[in-house]
Amino acid sequence: MKIRRGGILIVVSGMSALLAALSLAFIARMRTDAEEQRLLATEAQARLMLAAACGYVLETSRLGWGVETCGWIDVRDGTPGPKSLGAKSPGDPRNDYAVAGVVDRDGNRVYLRGSGVWPDIGGIARCPFHVLTRPPFALRGDAYYNPIVTDEADVAAFGRPYLRNPDPVPAVDDQAAFNAGDLRPRATSVGLSWFRVLRLSPARFLLTCGAGATRGFRDWAEVVAAGETGAFADRTMFEQLAQGEVRLWYLIEWNAACGDSYNGIDNLQNGVDHYVSHAMSASNDANFLTQPMHRNLVGTVRWIQRVTEAPARW
Amino acid sequence: MRLPVRGFTLIELVLSVGLGVAIIGAVASAFRVASGIASATRSLSAENAVMRAGMITALNEADCWTWCDDPGDATRQKLRAWHPTNGRGLPFTPFPQRWPLEPDADPELHRGWDPDYCWPADDARTWFHGNMAERWASANTLYGHYEAFAHLRSRVTLDKTTAVSPAYGSCAPPHTWFMNQLDGLRDNLGFYGLCDYLPANAVFGSYGSANGVLPVVDQGWQGFWVWPVPFPFWTGYFNVGEGECMIPRGLYGNSNNASCVLIPGCADTSLANATTIELSDANVRQYRVGQLAKPADVQDMLAKALPKRALLPLAPASWPNARVSVLRMMGWKRFITSCRVRCDSAVTGERVELTFTTLSTTLRGARRQRRVSNDPASPAYDVDLDGGTISTACLVQAP
């Protein structure tokens, strides 16, 4: 009878089991770390939405309605806006500056006071935040369109800054496609974040900044009302997504002020009256290139207040 | 049948002992490596967890300002003080007590802070009516006496005659609201609060004086706004003399190579035990931070403004030592909330640091978060530090 001894096998098995257990513990810990890290990333993502939402409020005070508008509080007469440029034409009590035929992207008149629909007071803008495949009026992302020739053999062009190509260049050649863009979301950016804006008063807004895949819907009833049930498998899935996302609330106030210029006016020599005015659009001297020194040209956010509890309506 | 009895040969014994030693050595080595990995993993994981906690703490502080003013602890509300001799407040001084709204039939004569007023651009009282081209030290008033248009006081006497302008005599300047707001914010909040509260396009300049500290002067700029001179009893100045011209400036001109910094006076700063006047002094001066700054200037500012708060003050010595800092400043007209999380390994001493800026609650937003009184029976319970109504409901205003 042949006797087999398994000492070495037992030792090797033990070592393997030990290493496997340690590896498993390592992987489990790393996974836990990654999950905790994801929570932090989600928090950061929601905070990025604060910047995005502030930018949205700022820009929509003047832009994006098909016509240029004059601020959330109209800079001409102090009434709630945004209302379009143009002569005042009393007649429609909801908007003294209404321009016939000018509608926003949803087909509504730019601003109808009392409608309760965004952008009116009480209205809500819901903004899922994904990257478009190609935004309208997109330009090519080239760093430079007219590189200087570095080939010495090209005697005629070597080292010369010829402007042979237009700068900038549209992302697509077709004018209609350039204007329209490609509004399909990029798949990798879908379901990460969103923000909502509730207009509380002419210049004050409640921002909800979210990181998650609910696309900014507050509850299932809102999904149903918007006819967007197809975006979620069912109510249970939506509620699971809602429970797993981060939501932050902020109050902000918009103001039409755009920031001062470099100095407004500069007395070049202290003892002599020799003034130079630097206009906001000055571009002749980098030192006085004042437009880049402005925070923006669509107003400023006067203050921001974190609201730590979910408001009754948002 | 007798089984043959076999013993070990010397060679077998040597080989088996050698193999045994090799196996035991391999096992010991593997165990040591594995335990080292486990230890390093645990340490790395702990440091990551501490960094995450530090980041969340910094973001929370950026939004809630609790280190500067703890709403739940009256002993940590030093920035609500008021210095009566110099007539100065601090960044969290309650307006309802020190600078309450005093309405008037004429909006230009409103005084105090109105928490619900949004400063619309069409309202002439929010405009700057001074002469931007008039130098403080120049007496020629080339374009006339603009004090007749705007002033701190509603009745003034402009009796100086210059080579190009006659004496105007007694005047009633129609625009007095903006300049009183300017001086009022400076006196009640300090410099950081002044910049935080004013609109981005504000011009910093007022004619005359009226706050009870400066001698009453009707004619000419209040020198404080147009040239680097300190206010009476103040150690610092607001105007940094940018461009070497004695004229009113916007925010950029007043913060070029200098910074208005919020000095919290909290624990873990050099002013943790400062008196009200010391805190006030630190909040009404510019800090040199630009190309003209010396290392000592920046170190002084950071010592006062940058708390280095221990994240886990009661943690065992073997845990990572983590500190969290939040700095608020305004320079080159940019408001900055700078957060820093620093973690030192207890084992290796290696330092990991994460520094980031964030968009978060502003000073005015933080004041709106706080009650004047925490006593529910007090009428000031529902009043915020600006005199507005505390509300988390965020109700829509009726049209």
Side-chain angles (χ1 to χ4, degrees):
Chain A
M1 180 179 175
K2 191 174 182 181
I3 299 174
R4 292 177 180 271
R5 289 189 169 85
I8 293 176
L9 183 64
I10 291 170
V11 169
V12 171
S13 301
M15 285 172 56
S16 302
L18 181 66
L19 291 173
L22 287 169
S23 301
L24 202 61
F26 175 79
I27 291 169
R29 181 175 284 271
M30 288 299 102
R31 180 182 169 81
T32 307
D33 274 8
E35 286 175 350
E36 290 176 3
Q37 194 69 32
R38 183 183 160 278
L39 290 177
L40 189 64
T42 311
E43 173 89 11
Q45 189 87 31
R47 284 177 173 275
L48 286 176
M49 289 302 98
L50 173 60
C54 286
Y56 178 75
V57 170
L58 289 171
E59 292 200 7
T60 48
S61 71
R62 302 264 188 185
L63 306 169
W65 303 107
V67 290
E68 183 178 345
T69 50
C70 295
W72 292 107
I73 297 179
D74 199 298
V75 296
R76 297 165 294 187
D77 61 6
T79 56
K83 293 181 289 194
S84 59
L85 289 173
K88 195 168 187 175
S89 56
D92 187 339
R94 299 171 298 176
N95 184 349
D96 295 341
Y97 290 93
V99 176
V102 174
V103 295
D104 65 15
R105 64 185 177 188
D106 297 322
N108 301 316
R109 298 268 293 278
V110 169
Y111 177 63
L112 290 179
R113 192 183 307 153
S115 69
V117 176
W118 179 263
D120 190 24
I121 296 168
I124 292 173
R126 182 182 58 82
C127 304
F129 211 77
H130 49 255
V131 181
L132 301 179
T133 301
R134 189 185 69 252
F137 310 106
L139 301 174
R140 256 169 48 188
D142 298 6
Y144 41 79
Y145 293 89
N146 291 288
I148 294 177
V149 173
T150 56
D151 180 6
E152 294 186 29
D154 187 352
V155 178
F158 173 69
R160 300 187 180 186
Y162 287 135
L163 302 178
R164 287 174 165 152
N165 304 309
D167 178 4
V169 176
V172 291
D173 293 333
D174 179 63
Q175 175 77 50
F178 171 71
N179 292 353
D182 184 345
L183 304 185
R184 290 174 299 165
R186 293 188 189 178
T188 53
S189 69
V190 173
L192 294 178
S193 52
W194 51 267
F195 65 82
R196 286 167 65 113
V197 184
L198 166 60
R199 190 177 185 189
L200 298 174
S201 70
R204 293 183 178 175
F205 302 85
L206 173 65
L207 310 180
T208 308
C209 307
T214 63
R215 302 178 63 194
F217 287 108
R218 177 180 171 140
D219 50 35
W220 183 248
E222 210 173 71
V223 177
V224 174
E228 295 275 355
T229 51
F232 309 95
D234 54 22
R235 178 176 188 153
T236 305
M237 178 196 177
F238 173 81
E239 289 175 349
Q240 284 176 345
L241 292 173
Q243 285 178 350
E245 70 182 7
V246 170
R247 293 171 179 172
L248 307 174
W249 290 273
Y250 292 89
L251 287 166
I252 66 167
E253 182 179 299
W254 173 87
N255 189 271
C258 290
D260 69 318
S261 57
Y262 170 67
N263 237 2
I265 190 165
D266 207 357
N267 183 356
L268 292 181
Q269 298 180 55
N270 193 23
V272 181
D273 284 337
H274 184 178
Y275 298 107
V276 172
S277 176
H278 306 300
M280 292 170 73
S281 58
S283 58
N284 60 315
D285 184 330
N287 287 327
F288 303 133
L289 187 60
T290 53
Q291 199 155 327
M293 293 181 178
H294 288 253
R295 294 185 177 102
N296 57 69
L297 298 173
V298 286
T300 38
V301 172
R302 190 90 182 274
W303 51 264
I304 301 173
Q305 177 191 349
R306 170 79 183 271
V307 180
T308 53
E309 298 172 10
R313 183 175 177 227
W314 51 270
Chain B
M1 179 180 167
R2 188 180 174 194
L3 291 173
V5 177
R6 297 184 60 187
F8 294 107
T9 66
L10 184 58
I11 293 174
E12 287 175 333
L13 185 63
V14 169
L15 284 175
S16 62
V17 169
L19 282 171
V21 168
I23 291 170
I24 291 171
V27 170
S29 176
F31 186 79
R32 193 173 63 248
V33 170
S35 65
I37 291 171
S39 176
T41 304
R42 195 165 48 246
S43 172
L44 189 63
S45 179
E47 285 179 19
N48 285 340
V50 166
M51 292 297 287
R52 283 195 299 271
M55 190 171 170
I56 293 293
T57 301
L59 290 172
N60 189 55
E61 171 58 20
D63 267 346
C64 298
W65 294 63
T66 312
W67 298 354
C68 301
D69 182 275
D70 189 339
D73 185 351
T75 65
R76 294 197 292 173
Q77 297 175 353
K78 293 163 68 175
L79 294 187
R80 297 194 189 193
W82 170 263
H83 195 272
T85 306
N86 297 352
R88 272 189 281 168
L90 286 160
F92 283 86
T93 297
F95 284 163
Q97 295 168 356
R98 299 299 173 192
W99 199 37
L101 177 63
E102 299 171 12
D104 190 277
D106 178 0
E108 283 284 355
L109 298 178
H110 283 206
R111 295 294 179 263
W113 182 256
D114 183 349
D116 297 319
Y117 180 62
C118 293
W119 294 49
D122 73 300
D123 188 345
R125 67 176 171 153
T126 68
W127 304 348
F128 181 76
H129 290 88
N131 176 11
M132 290 283 285
E134 180 186 321
R135 282 187 292 120
W136 173 49
S138 169
N140 60 18
T141 56
L142 193 60
Y143 303 111
H145 294 284
Y146 271 60
E147 300 95 323
F149 300 104
H151 206 279
L152 277 168
R153 302 194 308 123
S154 53
R155 175 64 64 179
V156 298
T157 302
L158 307 177
D159 54 3
K160 288 184 181 174
T161 304
T162 72
V164 292
S165 60
Y168 282 15
S170 179
C171 299
H175 301 292
T176 58
W177 181 83
F178 175 80
M179 291 182 177
N180 275 282
Q181 291 290 301
L182 186 69
D183 277 32
L185 288 169
R186 174 197 63 194
D187 296 344
N188 287 283
L189 293 177
F191 290 176
Y192 182 91
L194 167 72
C195 300
D196 182 283
Y197 268 60
L198 284 173
N201 62 351
V203 175
F204 296 75
S206 60
Y207 285 116
S209 58
N211 72 344
V213 175
L214 286 171
V216 174
V217 175
D218 283 350
Q219 210 140 350
W221 288 117
Q222 189 182 124
F224 174 85
W225 291 117
V226 294
W227 195 239
V229 292
F231 209 70
F233 307 115
W234 296 21
T235 56
Y237 48 79
F238 180 72
N239 189 302
V240 294
E242 159 65 14
E244 299 183 357
C245 46
M246 304 175 192
I247 58 169
R249 296 165 172 80
L251 196 54
Y252 185 86
N254 278 310
S255 59
N256 194 353
N257 284 306
S259 181
C260 295
V261 182
L262 190 125
I263 305 298
C266 64
D268 310 308
T269 67
S270 64
L271 292 181
N273 299 312
T275 62
T276 297
I277 191 66
E278 288 169 337
L279 268 180
S280 179
D281 280 344
N283 274 290
V284 290
R285 54 161 291 197
Q286 292 272 18
Y287 290 83
R288 191 170 285 188
V289 295
Q291 58 184 329
L292 306 176
K294 299 172 182 172
D297 296 330
V298 179
Q299 286 164 5
D300 171 60
M301 184 270 282
L302 292 178
K304 290 172 179 167
L306 187 71
K308 301 176 185 66
R309 182 147 298 189
L311 181 64
L312 304 165
L314 301 179
S318 59
W319 286 25
N321 176 23
R323 284 168 293 168
V324 183
S325 305
V326 176
L327 170 73
R328 297 177 176 91
M329 59 186 284
M330 187 284 303
W332 287 274
K333 90 174 183 182
R334 268 74 174 177
F335 287 86
I336 302 164
T337 300
S338 177
C339 306
R340 189 174 78 186
V341 184
R342 180 176 282 180
C343 180
D344 294 329
S345 168
V347 179
T348 64
E350 185 182 19
R351 171 168 292 175
V352 180
E353 183 175 304
L354 178 65
T355 303
F356 58 96
T357 58
T358 183
L359 187 64
S360 56
T361 300
T362 60
L363 174 62
R364 188 169 166 193
R367 289 172 55 90
R368 287 171 48 89
Q369 291 172 334
R370 285 158 169 77
R371 301 177 189 279
V372 171
S373 169
N374 281 337
D375 177 7
S378 167
Y381 180 71
D382 285 330
V383 179
D384 67 35
L385 299 186
D386 278 0
T389 303
I390 284 271
S391 171
T392 56
C394 304
L395 300 176
V396 174
Q397 174 184 301

